[in-house]
Amino acid sequence: MPAMVSASANMAVETAMAQENTQQHFLTDAAYRQKVVEDFQKRKAIIGGNFCNVAKLSATQAELEALQFLYAYMPLADITDHTVEYYLANVRASNKARQQMAWGKNVPELLFRHFVLPVRVNNEELDDARSVFYDELKDRIAGLSMRDAILEINHWCHEKVTYQPSDPRTSSPLATVRSAYGRCGEESTLLVAALRAMGIPARQVYTPRWAHTDDNHAWVEAWADGKWYFLGACEPEPVLDLGWFNAPASRALLMHTRVFGYYDGPEEVFLRTPCNTEINLIGNYGETANVDFTIVDENGVPVSGARVDFCIYNYAEYCPVVAKFTDAAGHTSLTAGKGDMMVWASKDGKYGFAKVAFATDKALRISLSHNVAVREQSESTDSFDIVPPPEKANVPFVSPEQRAENNLRFEYEDSLRHVYLATFYTHERAVNALKGKVVGASAEGLQRLATFLEKSSGNHQVILDFITKNAVSAEKTQRVTDLLATLSDKDLRDIRMAILDDSYAAGTQLSPRVENEMMTRTFKAEFRSMFSDKERRKFQKNPLELVKWIKKNIRMNPDKKSPMIAQTPMGAYDYKITDRRSRNILFVDMARSFDIEARVDPVTGKTQYKAEGKWADVNFEKVVKQVAPQGTLMLRYEKNAIVDDPKYFSHFTISRINANGTTSLLEYPEEGSTWGTTFKDGVSLDAGQYLLVTGMRLASGAVKSEARLFSVEEGKTTDLDLKIRTSPTDVSVIGSFNSEAKFQTLDGREVTFLSQTGRGYFITGLIGVGQEPTNHALKDIAKVAAEFDKWGRPLVLLFEDEAAAKKFNAKEFPGLPKNIIFGIDAGGAVRQEISENMKLSNKSLSPIFFISDTFNRVVFLKQGYTISLGEQMEQVIRTL
């Protein structure tokens, strides 16, 4: 891992950069080189003398220019938490790949600068992956073309990692390899890091939210021989521009990538910040249209500098995915897929919103007619029918021979990964490893510790050593258990021993984590040693004294547009400069180091400390004890045949309207937050203005949505009806499937659907074992298994072949409906029939789920990646 920096060791880099020499430039364009120098000087002026130190480096002119480019644009956290030596090592590794890879001389400077040299991919923890991956891959791809090397590197990634959903924190590439699992954001970060290590330009591409279903997805674009191609990370295909997401990507509204630094490429720019350039890649995947927007005040006068948030309906929220700002004439524009978005404009506490249809609208005018400060102007109800773009997938040809060869490689790569996975602790092995080494644990306590060890995957030695060295008495064993219980499953997979030791040796506040920040440097012992007993007692007596100390001693970064990659607490302390997010984390970590109970509230995002048994809000501007005035929101709901108990993030969400007119989503827990459990009997909210969004996702992917603005007043109850709009006509006959079609049972018999299901409706699923879309589908179905069981009709799940059936592990999908019939689609006959009858554009894409009856009528079909598939099918079967 990279070494950490101390502020005292740093000095300016520009002296060395100004020295005249004849060495080759890294930045050959003199005008761009001058811009980098200017931007570097701006960063230095903001951060001060403690910037970077090249005085002791033996570096060439080109290397110094590359370092200057990196420091001119890297996020604040990367400056404060990593050394210049770390970045120089990465510069040299990049140059080594450029010189030794056959394609190195063919990569344009623009692409090398922005898509090879940068260490950071998104918001992951930085590590030494570049040198590690180069050593492992250089011989493997020797002699390959650039395109074949991209495919081969993805096969290597699949050997190392397979998909598993997890929390939003992005682990480092090496940590992802060590755990052998990653969500799509981690898999794509891994692949980009591996490609860049070999001198291949690469970028993480993502749809911030799908338009036709909930959730999002990330993948990779790689450049070869003059063209960008896309591929699914850790999901190698025989050819480029192919992934399970070809079809859903054609229905997307937006595709993003954040390019390091000031990038002047051919793509549409969403936003420029002092750190990166956010570009729009939607045109690579589907049909697009451009719409012009004019923002005016209540008198019709154009508003300059208004913030315009473009929002996609997803997880029952109008989720802001792109922010742009109007020019002097109140104008801005956006190119997007030909579907519907919500547009929320705001400035100085005034706001307005409207739906835009990119398929038909050419221009849209939005008035800032609502005022956060005036209750009467902030209460209204509007209904919106939101339609996603149509599907028009472009799928490259793959021959049967190519597919068969790729499948064989998949199985081999799975076997290699499974050998590594076998070194992880099972629960039984974990219990045996802890027996006799843990003092004072009950049988139940030993089982709990074994669960932590089981979840630690490739980090098991760290967790085992931490438990066994500290669990030496009943009291200490309990402390070990309490500390490990504060960690997420992902924390257990990549936390360092130093962080565990630091928290274990601390006082009453054990947790080392505040939100999704990186935990790379210890801080509790350092903070306790930096302040006297008298100072610590002062902070404990009145935590506002700690707020004052931070306000006085830690400067705020004036750059508010760049991504807020969280600094470590010590990074912020050493450099005495931070951003809003890192300041909040710093306060909580310092408070906990001094035995003060503090948190970032998981629902509201407010920074708080405990005072007299109540949570008080931290206000760094006023520095006064502040307990927010609250009222009560009471939601009334009449159950219907479609939705018994509306779910938060599925059927409705609530957002706070901020003082400036923007919105902040209330993040109630996704699991278990429903109308009945959380809102039926009233919930406390801070006084202010709010937005209630409700919606029902239809089988077509369209949404029946409603937006309601409302107020909560101190000490009063606000009563609202929770209305879930539905469509009685959405479910209809959309195709046919022969119920006399045959499939093979697992014991080798050939049977018809009718013989197995009996008369009536049934569900068929053609599944891809081990594939991310299928995993999502089965887990979504398990969530609503009770409704499927109540329905009582069969669910036929068909594997592609016997080998796939043998690989399937039902234990990975607990809670599936009881009435499942497993079988094999021998020869692909079922897939062939449904593909032809429903005219699917890609018959090989899995999974395919459809609802049909024994009169051969299909009333529902979904193919590929579909979040909340179980709820969508539940909605359909309730109407049958």
Side-chain angles (χ1 to χ4, degrees), residues 67-85:
L67 282 173
Q68 189 176 44
F69 170 74
L70 292 175
Y71 272 92
Y73 302 114
M74 69 175 66
L76 180 61
D78 293 352
I79 294 172
T80 63
D81 286 306
H82 302 276
T83 65
V84 69
E85 288 82 4

Side-chain angles (χ1 to χ4, degrees), residues 30-315:
Y32 190 85
R33 187 165 65 246
Q34 181 59 34
K35 175 170 179 51
V36 170
V37 170
E38 292 171 358
D39 289 343
F40 178 89
Q41 295 289 354
K42 291 177 184 176
R43 297 298 299 282
K44 182 187 183 316
I46 291 173
I47 295 171
N50 300 331
F51 195 36
C52 63
N53 175 20
V54 298
K56 297 181 180 180
L57 297 179
S58 177
T60 67
Q61 175 72 20
E63 289 171 343
L64 291 172
E65 285 184 7
L67 282 173
Q68 189 176 44
F69 170 74
L70 292 175
Y71 272 92
Y73 302 114
M74 69 175 66
L76 180 61
D78 293 352
I79 294 172
T80 63
D81 286 306
H82 302 276
T83 65
V84 69
E85 288 82 4
Y86 169 71
Y87 293 111
L88 178 59
N90 278 278
V91 167
R92 288 174 172 168
S94 299
N95 288 332
K96 180 180 179 181
R98 192 180 198 181
Q99 294 163 4
Q100 297 192 2
M101 293 296 106
W103 47 78
K105 63 181 181 297
N106 299 324
V107 175
E109 180 181 314
L110 174 74
L111 300 184
F112 183 85
R113 183 171 71 218
H114 294 282
F115 300 109
V116 176
L117 178 67
V119 184
R120 178 169 296 288
V121 178
N122 196 319
N123 60 357
E124 77 282 6
E125 178 186 326
L126 302 186
D127 62 16
D128 291 326
R130 184 162 303 216
S131 59
V132 174
F133 291 174
Y134 181 86
D135 290 340
E136 186 156 346
L137 284 166
K138 60 183 173 62
D139 293 334
R140 181 164 176 159
I141 64 172
L144 295 181
S145 69
M146 206 170 184
R147 292 175 63 180
D148 287 341
I150 293 169
L151 293 169
E152 188 61 33
I153 291 170
N154 203 21
H155 277 288
W156 175 84
C157 288
H158 178 242
E159 289 177 12
K160 303 295 184 183
V161 174
T162 192
Y163 175 80
Q164 186 179 84
S166 62
D167 65 56
R169 179 171 68 84
T170 305
S171 61
S172 73
L174 289 177
T176 299
V177 169
R178 189 165 61 248
S179 71
Y181 294 108
R183 57 179 176 80
C184 62
E186 288 160 328
E187 289 180 311
S188 53
T189 296
L190 166 65
L191 177 55
V192 170
L195 291 167
R196 289 181 179 178
M198 309 317 295
I200 298 174
R203 57 196 186 193
Q204 182 189 60
V205 179
Y206 58 98
T207 177
R209 297 292 175 100
W210 290 117
H212 69 289
T213 187
D214 290 333
D215 211 1
N216 59 5
H217 190 54
W219 56 92
V220 172
E221 285 187 353
W223 184 91
D225 306 321
K227 182 182 177 182
W228 286 99
Y229 299 89
F230 71 82
L231 63 163
C234 304
E235 299 167 336
E237 293 284 355
V239 297
L240 296 172
D241 285 345
L242 178 62
W244 60 259
F245 51 88
N246 281 62
S250 72
R251 304 191 73 186
L253 283 161
L254 291 172
M255 302 295 182
H256 289 211
T257 194
R258 289 193 179 104
V259 185
F260 183 93
Y262 187 95
Y263 170 70
D264 192 15
E267 302 89 350
E268 178 190 13
V269 173
F270 280 145
L271 181 68
R272 290 193 188 276
T273 80
C275 287
N276 55 35
T277 306
E278 193 167 337
I279 60 175
N280 187 0
L281 301 176
I282 185 62
N284 294 352
Y285 299 90
E287 294 185 354
T288 66
N290 184 270
V291 177
D292 293 320
F293 300 88
T294 302
I295 310 303
V296 300
D297 63 18
E298 61 272 22
N299 298 315
V301 178
V303 179
S304 65
R307 179 186 175 107
V308 184
D309 286 301
F310 295 92
C311 308
I312 297 175
Y313 179 93
N314 198 280
Y315 282 127

Side-chain angles (χ1 to χ4, degrees), residues 346-395:
S346 60
K347 185 178 182 182
D348 299 334
K350 296 182 180 180
Y351 62 94
F353 61 98
K355 186 187 83 168
V356 57
F358 281 89
T360 56
D361 291 337
K362 302 300 180 184
L364 189 67
R365 183 183 176 95
I366 300 177
S367 173
L368 304 184
S369 57
H370 299 281
N371 191 331
V372 176
V374 182
R375 177 181 176 183
E376 291 74 16
Q377 294 185 15
S378 301
E379 295 188 352
S380 64
T381 301
D382 295 282
S383 295
F384 302 99
D385 292 344
I386 300 173
V387 179
E391 180 181 314
K392 292 186 178 180
N394 182 19
V395 181

Side-chain angles (χ1 to χ4, degrees), residues 782-796:
K783 291 179 181 178
V784 293
E787 295 299 324
F788 281 65
D789 291 338
K790 187 188 302 182
W791 184 46
R793 298 298 300 153
L795 171 57
V796 182

